[in-house]
Amino acid sequence: MMHPETIEALLREGLPCDYLTVEGDGQHFQAVIVSAEFAGKSRVQRQQRVNAVLKGHFDTGVLHALSMRTLTPEEWEAQRG
């Protein structure tokens, strides 16, 4: 079983994040990921980048489901008003 803190640590290690939060119940997780690396990328490309960081955990079945919001710092600031 994965913990939100473990997923957060893996993402921080594999992706430069301006803001990151992960919540979940051990099987289903939700993440908000803000990274300048997402600039110019489509939603699908952003999710592929995040999935690549976590690929080994998806492949082994330890991580089953992660829904995510992927934003650039500018998009994040605009949403926060």
Side-chain angles (χ1 to χ4, degrees):
M1 179 168 80
M2 292 284 280
H3 296 280
E5 299 82 13
T6 304
I7 296 169
E8 189 170 322
L10 291 167
L11 289 171
R12 285 194 189 281
E13 183 178 309
L15 181 69
C17 297
D18 291 58
Y19 176 83
L20 173 63
T21 183
V22 180
E23 297 177 353
D25 61 8
Q27 293 198 0
H28 301 93
F29 298 92
Q30 306 82 38
V32 176
I33 308 161
V34 179
S35 176
E37 194 170 305
F38 296 147
K41 292 188 170 71
S42 70
R43 182 175 174 238
V44 170
Q45 290 171 318
R46 294 172 184 197
Q47 290 180 348
Q48 288 171 334
R49 175 66 175 99
V50 173
N51 288 340
V53 172
L54 301 171
K55 183 180 182 338
H57 300 281
F58 281 119
D59 289 349
T60 61
V62 175
L63 179 58
H64 300 283
L66 174 68
S67 64
M68 62 187 94
R69 288 180 51 216
T70 54
L71 305 160
T72 65
E74 295 78 17
E75 291 167 340
W76 176 245
E77 285 303 316
Q79 284 192 6
R80 295 179 64 202

